[in-house]
PDB file of all heavy atoms in Angstrom:
ATOM      1  N   CYS A 237     -14.636-119.693-211.254  1.00 97.00           N
ATOM      2  CA  CYS A 237     -14.376-120.195-212.610  1.00 97.00           C
ATOM      3  C   CYS A 237     -13.006-119.945-213.065  1.00 97.00           C
ATOM      4  O   CYS A 237     -12.359-118.899-212.822  1.00 97.00           O
ATOM      5  CB  CYS A 237     -15.282-119.418-213.545  1.00 97.00           C
ATOM      6  SG  CYS A 237     -15.196-119.950-215.256  1.00 97.00           S
ATOM      7  N   PHE A 239     -12.043-119.874-216.341  1.00 96.00           N
ATOM      8  CA  PHE A 239     -11.887-119.416-217.691  1.00 96.00           C
ATOM      9  C   PHE A 239     -11.518-117.942-217.817  1.00 96.00           C
ATOM     10  O   PHE A 239     -10.444-117.516-217.602  1.00 96.00           O
ATOM     11  CB  PHE A 239     -13.087-119.829-218.525  1.00 96.00           C
ATOM     12  CG  PHE A 239     -13.218-121.333-218.867  1.00 96.00           C
ATOM     13  CD1 PHE A 239     -14.035-122.136-218.040  1.00 96.00           C
ATOM     14  CD2 PHE A 239     -12.383-121.936-219.750  1.00 96.00           C
ATOM     15  CE1 PHE A 239     -13.993-123.574-218.363  1.00 96.00           C
ATOM     16  CE2 PHE A 239     -12.442-123.225-220.011  1.00 96.00           C
ATOM     17  CZ  PHE A 239     -13.278-124.067-219.400  1.00 96.00           C
ATOM     18  N   CYS A 240     -12.604-117.061-217.830  1.00 94.00           N
ATOM     19  CA  CYS A 240     -12.180-115.624-218.100  1.00 94.00           C
ATOM     20  C   CYS A 240     -12.054-114.862-216.755  1.00 94.00           C
ATOM     21  O   CYS A 240     -12.241-115.428-215.724  1.00 94.00           O
ATOM     22  CB  CYS A 240     -13.262-115.017-218.951  1.00 94.00           C
ATOM     23  SG  CYS A 240     -14.718-114.254-218.154  1.00 94.00           S
ATOM     24  N   VAL A 242     -13.902-112.554-215.333  1.00 96.00           N
ATOM     25  CA  VAL A 242     -15.090-112.138-214.658  1.00 96.00           C
ATOM     26  C   VAL A 242     -15.040-112.677-213.154  1.00 96.00           C
ATOM     27  O   VAL A 242     -15.364-111.885-212.245  1.00 96.00           O
ATOM     28  CB  VAL A 242     -16.407-112.542-215.372  1.00 96.00           C
ATOM     29  CG1 VAL A 242     -17.617-112.139-214.501  1.00 96.00           C
ATOM     30  CG2 VAL A 242     -16.364-111.864-216.735  1.00 96.00           C
ATOM     31  N   GLY A 243     -14.757-113.890-213.036  1.00 97.00           N
ATOM     32  CA  GLY A 243     -14.623-114.397-211.689  1.00 97.00           C
ATOM     33  C   GLY A 243     -15.956-114.915-211.110  1.00 97.00           C
ATOM     34  O   GLY A 243     -16.334-114.591-210.024  1.00 97.00           O
ATOM     35  N   CYS A 244     -16.688-115.703-211.990  1.00 97.00           N
ATOM     36  CA  CYS A 244     -17.979-116.222-211.486  1.00 97.00           C
ATOM     37  C   CYS A 244     -17.784-117.276-210.415  1.00 97.00           C
ATOM     38  O   CYS A 244     -16.985-118.190-210.600  1.00 97.00           O
ATOM     39  CB  CYS A 244     -18.689-116.860-212.655  1.00 97.00           C
ATOM     40  SG  CYS A 244     -19.157-115.675-213.976  1.00 97.00           S
ATOM     41  N   LEU A 246     -18.851-120.512-208.672  1.00 96.00           N
ATOM     42  CA  LEU A 246     -19.491-121.729-209.283  1.00 96.00           C
ATOM     43  C   LEU A 246     -19.614-122.734-208.204  1.00 96.00           C
ATOM     44  O   LEU A 246     -18.805-122.909-207.292  1.00 96.00           O
ATOM     45  CB  LEU A 246     -18.739-122.299-210.442  1.00 96.00           C
ATOM     46  CG  LEU A 246     -18.444-121.362-211.628  1.00 96.00           C
ATOM     47  CD1 LEU A 246     -17.583-122.043-212.645  1.00 96.00           C
ATOM     48  CD2 LEU A 246     -19.814-120.949-212.269  1.00 96.00           C
ATOM     49  N   ALA A 271     -23.843-117.664-215.384  1.00 96.00           N
ATOM     50  CA  ALA A 271     -22.591-118.078-215.824  1.00 96.00           C
ATOM     51  C   ALA A 271     -22.687-118.137-217.317  1.00 96.00           C
ATOM     52  O   ALA A 271     -23.715-117.695-217.953  1.00 96.00           O
ATOM     53  CB  ALA A 271     -22.303-119.532-215.271  1.00 96.00           C
ATOM     54  N   CYS A 272     -21.728-118.690-218.039  1.00 97.00           N
ATOM     55  CA  CYS A 272     -21.713-118.687-219.460  1.00 97.00           C
ATOM     56  C   CYS A 272     -21.362-120.155-219.852  1.00 97.00           C
ATOM     57  O   CYS A 272     -21.097-121.065-219.043  1.00 97.00           O
ATOM     58  CB  CYS A 272     -20.659-117.767-220.103  1.00 97.00           C
ATOM     59  SG  CYS A 272     -19.024-118.292-220.005  1.00 97.00           S
ATOM     60  N   LYS A 274     -18.832-121.495-220.953  1.00 96.00           N
ATOM     61  CA  LYS A 274     -17.500-122.060-220.620  1.00 96.00           C
ATOM     62  C   LYS A 274     -17.504-122.524-219.181  1.00 96.00           C
ATOM     63  O   LYS A 274     -17.315-123.724-218.835  1.00 96.00           O
ATOM     64  CB  LYS A 274     -16.409-120.962-220.848  1.00 96.00           C
ATOM     65  CG  LYS A 274     -16.212-120.725-222.326  1.00 96.00           C
ATOM     66  CD  LYS A 274     -15.306-119.526-222.562  1.00 96.00           C
ATOM     67  CE  LYS A 274     -16.079-118.212-222.390  1.00 96.00           C
ATOM     68  NZ  LYS A 274     -16.387-117.433-223.459  1.00 96.00           N
ATOM     69  N   GLY A 275     -17.832-121.620-218.230  1.00 96.00           N
ATOM     70  CA  GLY A 275     -17.881-121.997-216.793  1.00 96.00           C
ATOM     71  C   GLY A 275     -18.923-122.991-216.557  1.00 96.00           C
ATOM     72  O   GLY A 275     -18.718-123.886-215.702  1.00 96.00           O
ATOM     73  N   ARG A 276     -20.059-122.903-217.182  1.00 94.00           N
ATOM     74  CA  ARG A 276     -21.249-123.747-216.865  1.00 94.00           C
ATOM     75  C   ARG A 276     -21.051-125.155-217.419  1.00 94.00           C
ATOM     76  O   ARG A 276     -21.474-126.143-216.783  1.00 94.00           O
ATOM     77  CB  ARG A 276     -22.521-123.090-217.424  1.00 94.00           C
ATOM     78  CG  ARG A 276     -23.786-123.864-217.281  1.00 94.00           C
ATOM     79  CD  ARG A 276     -24.225-123.770-215.820  1.00 94.00           C
ATOM     80  NE  ARG A 276     -25.611-124.323-215.701  1.00 94.00           N
ATOM     81  CZ  ARG A 276     -25.854-125.562-215.696  1.00 94.00           C
ATOM     82  NH1 ARG A 276     -24.935-126.552-215.819  1.00 94.00           N
ATOM     83  NH2 ARG A 276     -27.129-125.996-215.433  1.00 94.00           N
ATOM     84  N   HIS A 405     -16.650-111.965-222.357  1.00 95.00           N
ATOM     85  CA  HIS A 405     -16.927-111.950-220.830  1.00 95.00           C
ATOM     86  C   HIS A 405     -18.472-111.922-220.668  1.00 95.00           C
ATOM     87  O   HIS A 405     -19.078-110.977-220.315  1.00 95.00           O
ATOM     88  CB  HIS A 405     -16.439-110.710-220.298  1.00 95.00           C
ATOM     89  CG  HIS A 405     -14.891-110.439-220.440  1.00 95.00           C
ATOM     90  ND1 HIS A 405     -14.444-109.964-221.655  1.00 95.00           N
ATOM     91  CD2 HIS A 405     -13.808-110.751-219.667  1.00 95.00           C
ATOM     92  CE1 HIS A 405     -13.002-109.968-221.513  1.00 95.00           C
ATOM     93  NE2 HIS A 405     -12.758-110.415-220.311  1.00 95.00           N
ATOM     94  N   PRO A 406     -19.050-113.082-220.957  1.00 96.00           N
ATOM     95  CA  PRO A 406     -20.544-113.114-221.194  1.00 96.00           C
ATOM     96  C   PRO A 406     -21.379-112.660-219.955  1.00 96.00           C
ATOM     97  O   PRO A 406     -22.446-111.989-220.178  1.00 96.00           O
ATOM     98  CB  PRO A 406     -20.893-114.504-221.531  1.00 96.00           C
ATOM     99  CG  PRO A 406     -19.577-115.045-222.047  1.00 96.00           C
ATOM    100  CD  PRO A 406     -18.441-114.377-221.271  1.00 96.00           C
ATOM    101  N   VAL A 407     -20.949-112.907-218.836  1.00 97.00           N
ATOM    102  CA  VAL A 407     -21.723-112.448-217.665  1.00 97.00           C
ATOM    103  C   VAL A 407     -21.653-111.004-217.475  1.00 97.00           C
ATOM    104  O   VAL A 407     -22.684-110.350-217.186  1.00 97.00           O
ATOM    105  CB  VAL A 407     -21.243-113.205-216.377  1.00 97.00           C
ATOM    106  CG1 VAL A 407     -21.773-112.556-215.161  1.00 97.00           C
ATOM    107  CG2 VAL A 407     -21.605-114.699-216.459  1.00 97.00           C
TER     108      VAL A 407
HETATM  109 FE1  SF4 B   1     -18.147-116.407-215.658  1.00 90.29          FE
HETATM  110 FE2  SF4 B   1     -16.092-115.890-217.371  1.00 90.29          FE
HETATM  111 FE3  SF4 B   1     -16.368-118.289-216.337  1.00 90.29          FE
HETATM  112 FE4  SF4 B   1     -18.145-117.511-218.123  1.00 90.29          FE
HETATM  113  S1  SF4 B   1     -15.876-117.868-218.438  1.00 90.29           S
HETATM  114  S2  SF4 B   1     -18.665-118.517-216.225  1.00 90.29           S
HETATM  115  S3  SF4 B   1     -18.258-115.288-217.663  1.00 90.29           S
HETATM  116  S4  SF4 B   1     -15.847-116.414-215.242  1.00 90.29           S
END
Side-chain angles (χ1 to χ4, degrees):
C237 180
F239 287 103
C240 87
V242 174
C244 293
L246 302 174
C272 79
K274 293 171 283 251
R276 178 72 172 78
H405 304 82
V407 166

